Amino acid sequence: HNTDSTKPAGTILAADKNGILVQTGAGALLLQQNQIPGKKAVSAADAINARQEWFSVDNILGVNSSC
């Protein structure tokens, strides 16, 4: 996966069974496990299956979603 420095930090660049790729201020971070508040930690694939709308490409974590 390539990073896109034109996107703001927190932007989801890709989301698949390998993880959720999120733009940061200095590149990108691949999240392989996620923990939704009040829930147990799960794999990225399980998180995407549970909340697909949260992890859509171009969503900005904490802005376009409830995460």
Side-chain angles (χ1 to χ4, degrees):
H1 296 289
N2 292 328
T3 63
D4 185 346
S5 63
T6 64
K7 304 222 178 193
T11 302
I12 296 175
L13 302 175
D16 59 30
K17 65 179 181 176
N18 297 313
I20 300 165
L21 190 66
V22 181
Q23 181 69 41
T24 70
L29 177 67
L30 182 64
L31 304 174
Q32 296 177 313
Q33 286 196 349
N34 302 72
Q35 186 168 6
I36 295 169
K39 304 288 184 179
K40 65 180 183 168
V42 295
S43 70
D46 287 344
I48 293 166
N49 286 337
R51 301 289 184 170
Q52 193 169 32
E53 68 279 6
W54 286 5
F55 303 111
S56 299
V57 172
D58 289 330
N59 268 5
I60 301 174
L61 295 177
V63 175
N64 297 350
S65 63
S66 301
C67 41

